[in-house]
Structures are given as structure tokens and as C-alpha cells.
Amino acid sequence: MIIAEQKPIEEILEMLAPHKKILLAGCGACVTVCQAGGEKEVGVLASQIRVARQEAGNPIEIIETTLTRQCEPEFMDEAKDLMNDVEAVLSIACGIGVQLMAQTFYDKPAYPGLNTSFLGFPEEHGVFTERCAACGNCVLHLTGGICPIARCSKSLLNGPCGGSQDGKCEISKDVDCAWQLIYDRLKALGKLENLAEIIPPKKWITSRDGGPRKIVREDLRI
Amino acid sequence: MGFADHLASGEFVKIVEIQPPKGVDLTKFLGHAEAIRGRVNAILVPELETSIMRLSSLAASKVLSEKGFEAIHHTPCGHKNRIALQSELLGAAVLGLETVWVTRGDPPNIGDHPEAKEVFDLDENDLLSAIKRLQEGYDLSGNDLKGTPSFTVGASFSAGVTGHVLDLELLEIEKKIRLGVDFFITTPVFDLNQFARVMEKVRPFKVPVFVSVMILKSVGMARYINKHIDGVMVPDDIIQRMMKEPDKQKASIDITASLIKGFERLCEGVCIVPIGWEDRVPQVLDACGY
């Protein structure tokens, strides 16, 4: 899922400074699960903003809502009536949700309340780690189900490098060496011969390097 | 007389772009340079233009410099991050390449290694900031340098734009001047009247502008440009002139020369872009009377 975290409150207050009445919109999908932008976070953040603005002598009215999902146009209708009454929307969805809000309600500013961080999962309660770089050319079948693009700090396809020490990456003792993990998993699977292969240079054109991406599925088009 | 002196002299500056080779055989590259020795003020050596892998601008510029040519080293942003770009600029300075031309650069997917990872860590304004800071004695992270480089810095602007896009371009030009740009080299221009209107707005900035003049090889090339190259337009009268002339090469050289002579009254110099016709550049210079 998409992992995000809330922007510093000071940054949010600065964005909202010109406004007296806004919609604060959460999202019921990924950011609810990672507890950055769900219904509960909408309530907490709305209170924080109200208090800060009250203390600054510049009160703000905030309408609270949480859409089923902000990443699909059909759910934008849930915010349609509410948007009529406000000057702007503070979206605490991922960047996709903020952009869909901006696109749908074109004449009103949409501000991001979160920083969209990465694609990953909660490793333990309160700890989220990256697992996928959405590079568009999956190699997990070669690397024991562990992604070297997202998890190796150099995105090496032929690792490990000399920076691998005691299973950790040279960038930080808190970061596992992806290629140590790949080695361990391939060993467990009896597939260590995979490491004898030289993986050729990656085709980054399927990643962001080929420009903004788009998939057209003719079989799904109406 | 270095390039900075040419800028200050007020003479009409002549620059010629020569592509470095794809490989290490410099025979043709140096041959093209020798053919115009003493007739132009500088040779611009593009770096990985259109993301085609070639010999680096740094190496090719250094070779030219050693042979007594004034070289303009090109530093685009597309394929190197801020660490590599700053390092390359320090390298250019110690190699005596003090004239640098900064551009945004091209994405790899238009070149001959379309699967390469693109960089674009800095845009050209960021890179101009980096050059400014290097010249002040520290890097982008604020670390002190041992020895401070000095550059004459060029940037580019799109001369083919009109209306509100031109207004945005003027804002960009102003920003670049604030960041220390000493001269501009434009995108290719074929329309004197349109360029005259652009220069009316750019001239008050009082920064030398060198207009790019592409050698038009054929009617087909003109039509290709009009169809596919945003911001560059070959006017109908040039296409008609090319169509009517039985000797296409002569027409090509005459058209290029007449454009250059026309630009003499509009800006501070030209940059001739031969697009594979480097061996015709002496004829263009002859036709111009240079």
C-alpha cells in the first residue's frame, strides 16, 4: 500500500493562512491503514488547526469528511456538496488523492496535508518499510521475492556491493542489505544458482525515467 | 583573446557547434575545427545532445583548447547529479575551460540508450546557482573550496515562443541573469521578423544574445522541423526559396548566410548549428564574408 506521513503542522498552517473556511478530506484507503490520513487523523488534525488558528487570533472553520477513496473519480461525488461551501480543500490522502481533488474541483485550491512516502507495508506496529519502487519491470522471480530496486540503496541488480557488512547496508546500521536478504532467501529456496547469472542493465524506461507512465487496457475500455 | 574578451569587444560573435565523435577517432572533429580556424570566435562542443552517447564535451573541448581553439564546454543537467556536475565544473576550470554553457538537457528516452536511468537532479537554474556558488568559493552544500574557479557562463532561451509563453521565457531570462549568466545562445531561429520582435523584449536586459542558425539541408528537413520541433518554425518563404533553387546545397548555404547577415542587426552574434554538415561551414562563412 501507499505509506504516507503527515506534514509538519507549521507547513500546513502556512498553506492555509489565506483561508477562513476549508474542507479537510481524509481517505479511507491506504492512508487509513497507515494511520496518516483516515477519519481519526482528520479529527485530530482539524482540532490542531482550529486551536492554532484560534490562538493566533485568526479562526478558521473546518468541515471534516473522509472519502471512501480519493484515488478514484467516482468517489469524488462524496465531496461535491461540501466543496460548494468552502474556499479550499486540505487533502490528507496520498498525492494521487490531492491531484484528483485538484482536477475535480478545478476552481478551488487543493493542499496536501501529507507527504506521500513510498510503497510498502507495516513491518511491525508503527514501523513501515519500503518494498516496491513501481519500476514497471519486476525482477522478484530472480531475486528470491526481495526487491533490489526498492531495498538496495544502490538499486543494484548484481549485488551485494562492498558496503554490505554483517547483513547491513553501509548507509545505516538500521538498513538491511537487500542482497544479504536475497542470498539468504535463495539459499533457503535452494536457488543459489540464480546468483551465478549476470543480470543485464535494467530497462529504466518502464520506470519514471521514460517519462510519466500510462497504461491503456483496450479490453477494459467501454 | 578569450571568449570573455569577445563578449566585451562588441564585435559580432561567431560560434560554430561541432559534435564530438561517437568513438575516439578525432580526425573529422579536428578537421572541421581546422577548416574554420581563425574565422570564428569559439567552437561549442555539445554534451550528449539528444541523449546520443558520444565523447564528452569536457574531453573534446580540452583537445580543442590544446590546439589553440576557444572552446565552449557544454554542461546539461540530464545525465549527472549535483555531485558529478560540480565536480565536472571544477575539472573544466583546472583544464582551462572557463566558458561553460548550461542547458536543461535531454531525457534518455529520446536518444540511443532509451533504457537508461535519467538524472535531472538539478534544473538549469539550480546548476547556474551551483556555478555562482563555486565561483564564490563554496559548493552547493556550503563546503569551502580550495581554490576558486572562474567561468564565463552561458545559458539558453527559446527564441521561437510568442504571446504568454514569451512572457514566461522573459521571466526565465531575468532569473538566469540574476544567477550570473554572461551570455545566451538561443534555440534555432529561421524567422528574422519574429526574432526581431523577441529581441525587442530581450535587448533591455543588456546581456549578449547569440542566435542559433541551423543549416537547413532540404525542404524535407524544413517540413520535419515545422511538424515535430516545438518552438522552431521555418517560414514559407524560406521553404519556397529552397524548392525553387535547383542547386539545393547552394540554396542551403545562401539561406543560412542571409539569415546570419540579417541577425547581425538584431543581436550580438550567431551560433551556427551544422547538423552533420560541418564541412559546409566554411562555405557559409565565405557567403557571409567572414
Side-chain angles (χ1 to χ4, degrees), chain B:
Chain B
M1 193 175 186
F3 192 71
D5 301 317
H6 291 300
L7 288 184
S9 71
E11 66 179 306
F12 191 70
V13 170
K14 280 88 71 179
I15 302 166
V16 172
E17 177 184 298
I18 303 181
Q19 286 284 355
K22 191 178 185 71
V24 294
D25 183 351
L26 292 168
T27 313
K28 268 192 167 180
F29 175 73
L30 289 175
H32 295 319
E34 286 297 344
I36 53 174
R37 185 184 281 278
R39 303 183 71 185
V40 299
N41 304 105
I43 293 171
L44 170 65
V45 186
E47 166 84 351
L48 303 174
E49 201 167 69
T50 61
S51 291
I52 305 289
M53 196 289 293
R54 293 173 179 277
L55 176 66
S56 70
S57 174
L58 187 73
S61 297
K62 174 60 180 167
V63 171
L64 286 179
S65 172
E66 279 177 344
K67 303 270 182 197
F69 295 99
E70 184 69 37
I72 300 177
H73 170 229
H74 180 203
T75 54
C77 303
H79 306 303
K80 295 189 178 88
N81 70 11
R82 68 191 75 186
I83 301 170
L85 284 167
Q86 291 178 95
S87 168
E88 182 178 297
L89 285 159
L90 295 182
V94 300
L95 293 173
L97 303 170
E98 293 187 333
T99 306
V100 294
W101 184 52
V102 170
T103 66
R104 200 167 302 164
D106 298 313
N109 62 349
I110 66 166
D112 64 353
H113 289 62
E115 292 159 349
K117 189 182 248 186
E118 66 180 24
V119 181
F120 291 108
D121 178 28
L122 302 182
D123 65 24
E124 72 269 43
N125 287 347
D126 297 331
L127 181 53
L128 290 169
S129 298
I131 294 173
K132 195 164 183 275
R133 294 178 75 151
L134 292 175
Q135 294 186 95
E136 290 163 359
Y138 54 100
D139 67 16
L140 266 183
S141 284
N143 301 304
D144 290 335
L145 302 179
K146 285 191 172 64
T148 302
S150 175
F151 298 107
T152 301
V153 185
S156 68
F157 78 80
S158 298
V161 293
T162 55
H164 74 283
V165 185
L166 175 58
D167 292 338
L168 291 174
E169 199 63 34
L170 294 170
L171 276 176
E172 279 297 309
I173 288 170
E174 195 179 347
K175 276 188 218 168
K176 288 180 171 66
I177 292 168
R178 284 210 306 266
L179 292 168
V181 161
D182 300 301
F183 66 92
F184 287 100
I185 299 177
T186 74
T187 50
V189 176
F190 292 95
D191 187 335
L192 284 167
N193 294 328
Q194 189 265 340
F195 185 67
R197 290 192 291 275
V198 169
M199 282 306 296
E200 274 174 27
K201 298 200 172 189
V202 176
R203 199 169 292 115
F205 291 117
K206 298 187 189 307
V207 172
V209 171
F210 309 135
V211 59
S212 280
V213 183
M214 197 182 270
I215 302 182
L216 196 62
K217 296 178 187 174
S218 65
V219 173
M221 181 178 167
R223 292 197 170 128
Y224 180 88
I225 288 169
N226 287 351
K227 192 171 177 186
H228 297 289
I229 312 287
D230 290 336
V232 185
M233 183 59 70
V234 185
D236 282 343
D237 61 317
I238 289 185
I239 296 177
Q240 294 296 328
R241 189 173 163 189
M242 183 72 102
M243 284 173 84
K244 282 178 191 158
E245 174 63 59
D247 183 344
K248 302 298 181 200
Q249 284 197 30
K250 182 176 180 305
S252 173
I253 285 157
D254 289 348
I255 288 167
T256 308
S258 61
L259 279 171
I260 292 171
K261 297 307 283 182
F263 288 132
E264 278 184 357
R265 60 188 165 77
L266 297 176
C267 61
E268 286 72 27
V270 286
C271 177
I272 300 170
V273 182
I275 310 278
W277 271 14
E278 284 81 359
D279 55 352
R280 266 73 155 198
V281 172
Q283 294 170 62
V284 171
L285 298 175
D286 290 343
C288 290
Y290 296 149

Side-chain angles (χ1 to χ4, degrees), chain A residues 24-37:
Chain A
L24 174 47
C27 173
C30 310
V31 292
T32 291
V33 184
C34 68
Q35 299 185 43

